């Protein structure tokens, strides 16, 4: 079993210009596969790195920045973190001796929890705030929350609550439902050109 309460990333906690939000972790044989979902910049990759760093620090006998921590010995830690050069992969993974944490935008993976009893879903919640003077904004809570992320299309959500013309938002929704099939690319391009004219671009 590996777990900690209110753990913090030891580096980001020191250099962060705002208050670092601590999070918990609980992994055992009965729950050893975590699927993380949520918007970009919500905290998924930081959480994966934090867990790996704290595991290494614990095995070194180092102080752990957490209220409580207990780690089983891991003989290997494997990671696969996405980058801008291979963003099409759309996921990051952390593996340590039988424990897997997968950060992804592929919401289909959240259905694994309904098939395998050892799989759990978590997400980092994002609040969308509308202010009459400032317009729309995202409030990244950075709080790990049980369950899958329910917001699938962040870009459209932001456009919906912004000053973007509703005709543009409607077109975006239509294209999304359309599936972006290759044979329909001409329609997509023509729609984009019409939208440019509407926005005077």
């Amino acid at each position: 079993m590996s777990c900690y309460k209110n753990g913090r990333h030891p580096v980001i906690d020191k250099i962060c210009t705002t208050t670092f939000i601590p999070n918990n972790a609980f992994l055992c044989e009965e729950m050893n596969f975590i699927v993380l979902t949520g918007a970009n910049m919500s905290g998924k990759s930081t959480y994966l790195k934090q867990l790996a760093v704290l595991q290494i620090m614990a095995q070194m006998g180092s102080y752990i920045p957490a209220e409580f921590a207990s780690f089983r010995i891991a003989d290997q830690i494997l990671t696969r973190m996405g980058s801008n050069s291979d963003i099409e992969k759309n996921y990051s993974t952390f593996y340590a001796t039988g424990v897997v944490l997968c950060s992804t935008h592929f919401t289909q993976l959240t259905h694994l929890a309904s098939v395998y009893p050892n799989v759990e879903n978590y997400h980092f919640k994002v609040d969308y705030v509308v202010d009459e003077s400032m317009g729309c904004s995202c409030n990244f809570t950075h709080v790990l929350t049980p369950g899958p992320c329910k917001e699938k299309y962040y870009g459209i959500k932001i456009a919906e609550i912004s000053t973007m013309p509703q005709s543009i938002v409607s077109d975006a929704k239509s294209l999304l439902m359309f599936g972006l099939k290759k044979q329909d690319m001409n329609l997509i391009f023509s729609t984009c050109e019409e939208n440019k004219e509407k926005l005077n671009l």
Side-chain angles (χ1 to χ4, degrees):
M1 179 180 73
S2 296
C3 65
Y4 58 75
K5 180 181 179 181
N6 287 332
R8 304 183 306 280
H9 191 292
V11 176
I12 298 178
D13 187 32
K14 295 300 182 184
I15 65 174
C16 188
T17 56
T18 58
T19 303
F20 185 85
I21 306 298
N23 277 295
N24 303 329
F26 181 83
L27 299 160
C28 61
E29 290 184 6
E30 293 77 21
M31 190 179 73
N32 62 0
F33 196 113
I34 304 296
V35 178
L36 287 174
T37 50
N40 290 337
M41 299 174 61
S42 63
K44 301 187 302 298
S45 293
T46 297
Y47 183 76
L48 294 183
K49 294 173 185 176
Q50 174 180 306
L51 187 56
V53 169
L54 295 189
Q55 175 77 43
I56 294 170
M57 291 175 68
Q59 291 192 203
M60 291 171 55
S62 171
Y63 162 78
I64 302 298
E67 288 185 21
F68 167 84
S70 175
F71 290 89
R72 62 177 293 184
I73 299 296
D75 57 9
Q76 59 181 344
I77 296 176
L78 308 174
T79 65
R80 189 273 172 207
M81 306 299 290
S83 65
N84 290 336
S85 60
D86 55 8
I87 197 168
E88 71 276 2
K89 300 295 184 182
N90 218 13
Y91 67 89
S92 299
T93 307
F94 162 72
Y95 170 84
T97 314
V99 173
V100 176
L101 288 94
C102 176
S103 166
T104 182
H105 291 294
F106 293 121
T107 55
Q108 297 90 335
L109 290 178
T110 62
H111 298 300
L112 289 172
S114 63
V115 180
Y116 301 101
N118 62 315
V119 178
E120 291 283 336
N121 287 308
Y122 285 89
H123 72 281
F124 285 91
K125 185 181 177 184
V126 177
D127 293 327
Y128 298 95
V129 181
V130 179
D131 185 278
E132 291 184 1
S133 60
M134 300 294 292
C136 67
S137 62
C138 291
N139 176 30
F140 295 103
T141 67
H142 301 298
V143 175
L144 187 66
T145 307
C149 179
K150 298 188 183 302
E151 186 58 59
K152 295 182 180 179
Y153 310 110
Y154 312 113
I156 291 179
K157 179 65 176 179
I158 290 294
E160 237 175 358
I161 61 177
S162 71
T163 57
M164 182 75 69
Q166 285 304 305
S167 60
I168 304 294
V169 177
S170 297
D171 287 347
K173 288 181 178 179
S174 297
L175 290 175
L176 179 66
M177 299 303 293
F178 211 60
L180 300 179
K181 296 179 181 178
K182 287 184 178 179
Q183 61 266 33
D184 299 313
M185 288 305 290
N186 288 335
L187 174 60
I188 292 171
F189 289 137
S190 63
T191 303
C192 290
E193 290 301 318
E194 290 174 7
N195 286 337
K196 285 183 180 179
E197 292 178 6
K198 293 175 185 176
L199 292 173
N200 296 318
L201 296 177

